[in-house]
Amino acid sequence: MSKQKPSIPKGMRDFDPAEMARRNYIFDTIKEVFKLFGYQQLETPAMENLSTLTGKYGEEGDQLLFKVLNSGEFLKKVSKDDFNEGERNVLPKIAEKGLRYDLTVPFARYVVMHQNEITYPFKRFQVQPVWRADRPQKGRYREFYQCDADVVGTDSLICEAEILVMIKQVFAKFGLMDYAIKINNRKILSGMAEVIGETGKEGDLCVAIDKLDKIGWEKVSEELFQKGFSKEAIAALSPVLETNHKSNFERLQFFKEYLAQSSVGRKGLEEMEEVLAFFAMLGGNEKHVVFDPVLARGLSYYTGAIFEVKVDGVQIGSVSGGGRYDNLTGVFGLPGISGVGFSFGVDRLYDVLDALDMFPVQQKESTQVMLACFGEMERNKGLKILATLREAGIAAEIYPDLVKIKKQFNYADKKNIPFVAILGAEELSNETISLKNMKTGKQETLSLERVISEVKNPTME
RNA sequence: GUGAUUGUAGCUCAGCUGGUUAGAGCGCUGGUUUGUGGCACCAGAGGUCGCCGGUUCGAACCCGGUCUUUCACCCCA
């Protein structure tokens, strides 16, 4: 008996059965759509070598990696000099592994390791937790699940178009009506940097311009100025803002002129148009799909299309995001493989559906019938009945202890079990079972066969 | 990583400027009802006031540290 109350680490959570039922609803919905589009499931380990993970997410990302201390005498390799030099020198000698930060990089590692066994294009999905040493906040946890779907080994823009369709299908299944799938292209952003005369600074441009919605143009231009953008460059950027309330088509027309001098920019626009064209051919409706030229996204490995999905009316960050990465496997020694993928954030989707009160009131995961027995003889007979019920595919349980019937009913009530089957002396001698519908309160004495059909298809009023 | 913020019974919260045995509602357990849950009534159990240290005759309350919660920034699912 420990006196001290146990606890869990910062940003980690337990999920009780009610929460798990709802989380599984989200997982199942997403997996179903992934499979419908030909994606197959893959799992990779929680831990990767730190060398696999570092340098893929930008400097900020590297700092958010959870490092795992080497086992054994982990200080052995550290010299006094290393120690005096600080963490930078000590870290690589005491930690060689880390927890995965996303599912895309481990997937790229997998593709390189198994390059000769894989049939391309390779479509896989992955539903696993990832870890980030971030400060927790609403909608931001240190351990959370991602549902990733990626295709590698093709640069066809049909993949991008299909991603849009998949996102729309998932949201339709959840019954979400008000949301925006923002789509942009890193090449368009590069083109923007080029035409304003700040080639090579697209990183800073992205970070600043991404905040436009949040902090407004004035603050964004201030930030750009501080990052070393010239006044002329910032002024040259302002026409982009004018496209704010236009249609996707009008925005494309604008950028054709705006980016005319930039070959990357033109390429990006072509890709955008093609994605939207394929999307239309797949029967996609452009409702909810927004070409957003100021969408940037932080991860450094994206090179083509980028996506992000936000739900209106809730103060929760994006619930889905992704993009194309042309050379992610390159850093692991396999160049020339293009990939595109996206991910749903289950934990945020949960918060969104919860805030909007949109979870179905399903009881799919709970017991359908509980056996309540008056004594030992009844209970022993109940065990046989229990086995029959389960054979019939009915989720059933028996109250294991010989306690007052009232207590057994209480248990069924608390657990929201829709039926209680009662076994007493009378039932035992008549070879019957009294079945009570806990919602209606009605009770009938039935044969076992009738109990099975009644539980499966309730007819009792 | 920077700046704030929170922590009292299983849950939601009271607790006046530091003063005797820390309270409520809900929940829980038992009973009224030894073949029936939800309702009602009655009774009961549960807290070294996040943790460690300090100030004080005396700390849930003041001070310091630490952990945790929430929030803004950074960044992100």
Side-chain angles (χ1 to χ4, degrees), chain A residues 437-455:
Chain A
N437 184 324
M438 294 293 276
K439 272 193 197 107
T440 62
K442 192 163 182 201
Q443 181 172 325
E444 274 181 46
T445 303
L446 306 167
S447 67
L448 179 54
E449 291 72 35
R450 290 272 333 268
V451 167
I452 291 171
S453 67
E454 183 62 33
V455 170

Side-chain angles (χ1 to χ4, degrees), chain A residues 31 34-35 39-42 124-127 148-149:
Chain A
K31 283 182 182 173
F34 284 169
K35 288 178 190 165
Y39 290 79
Q40 294 177 304
Q41 190 160 15
L42 177 76
R124 72 86 238 226
F125 76 87
Q126 204 169 333
V127 177
D148 252 54

Side-chain angles (χ1 to χ4, degrees), chain A residues 128-364:
Chain A
Q128 289 189 271
V130 302
W131 293 269
R132 297 184 189 178
D134 212 348
R135 281 241 185 132
Q137 260 178 59
K138 170 149 277 159
R140 175 177 298 198
Y141 310 100
R142 289 187 147 189
E143 176 182 54
F144 59 96
Y145 271 75
Q146 289 194 331
C147 299
D148 252 54
D150 287 75
V151 190
V152 294
T154 170
D155 47 21
S156 165
L157 297 173
I158 291 176
C159 304
E160 275 86 339
E162 282 197 333
I163 286 174
L164 296 177
V165 179
M166 283 194 278
I167 293 172
K168 290 195 73 165
Q169 286 204 0
V170 167
F171 275 65
K173 280 175 190 279
F174 287 139
L176 288 163
M177 306 299 285
D178 301 314
Y179 64 95
I181 306 172
K182 295 182 185 177
I183 174 168
N184 194 15
N185 195 299
R186 275 284 161 87
K187 294 188 180 86
I188 292 175
L189 288 161
S190 297
M192 279 166 63
E194 195 179 327
V195 298
I196 63 167
E198 299 281 2
T199 308
K201 281 192 185 161
E202 43 274 83
D204 286 336
L205 177 67
C206 287
V207 169
I209 209 169
D210 198 39
K211 294 178 205 158
L212 197 58
D213 279 355
K214 217 172 181 181
I215 59 175
W217 170 242
E218 210 165 298
K219 294 240 165 127
V220 169
S221 53
E222 212 169 278
E223 185 172 330
L224 285 169
F225 188 68
Q226 278 172 4
K227 290 264 167 74
F229 284 68
S230 71
K231 286 229 161 99
E232 295 72 34
I234 295 170
L237 204 57
S238 60
V240 172
L241 308 174
E242 312 287 319
T243 68
N244 223 341
H245 295 291
K246 299 203 168 139
S247 70
N248 291 341
F249 179 77
E250 289 171 313
R251 215 168 278 147
L252 280 165
Q253 296 312 308
F254 164 81
F255 274 95
K256 273 183 187 165
E257 231 165 89
Y258 186 73
L259 297 176
Q261 301 307 308
S262 161
S263 63
V264 233
R266 289 200 306 270
K267 182 81 173 68
L269 279 174
E270 269 169 43
E271 289 184 12
M272 175 67 67
E273 283 188 303
E274 203 177 333
V275 168
L276 292 176
F278 280 135
F279 176 66
M281 285 184 237
L282 283 163
N285 178 326
E286 268 190 45
K287 192 178 180 200
H288 299 129
V289 178
V290 185
F291 165 33
D292 181 0
V294 300
L295 169 67
R297 294 189 57 75
L299 297 182
S300 45
Y301 49 68
Y302 293 125
T303 52
I306 46 182
F307 317 95
E308 196 162 285
V309 185
K310 278 204 159 176
V311 179
D312 303 333
V314 283
Q315 290 282 55
I316 292 163
S318 57
V319 294
S320 178
R324 180 170 286 276
Y325 39 89
D326 276 325
N327 204 19
L328 190 51
T329 56
V331 292
F332 300 125
L334 178 62
I337 290 207
S338 184
V340 60
F342 75 112
S343 172
F344 287 106
V346 175
D347 305 83
R348 284 191 177 172
L349 272 171
Y350 185 100
D351 291 343
V352 166
L353 294 177
D354 197 32
L356 266 31
D357 199 20
M358 292 190 68
F359 279 108
V361 279
Q362 39 113 45
Q363 289 295 332
K364 233 168 56 185

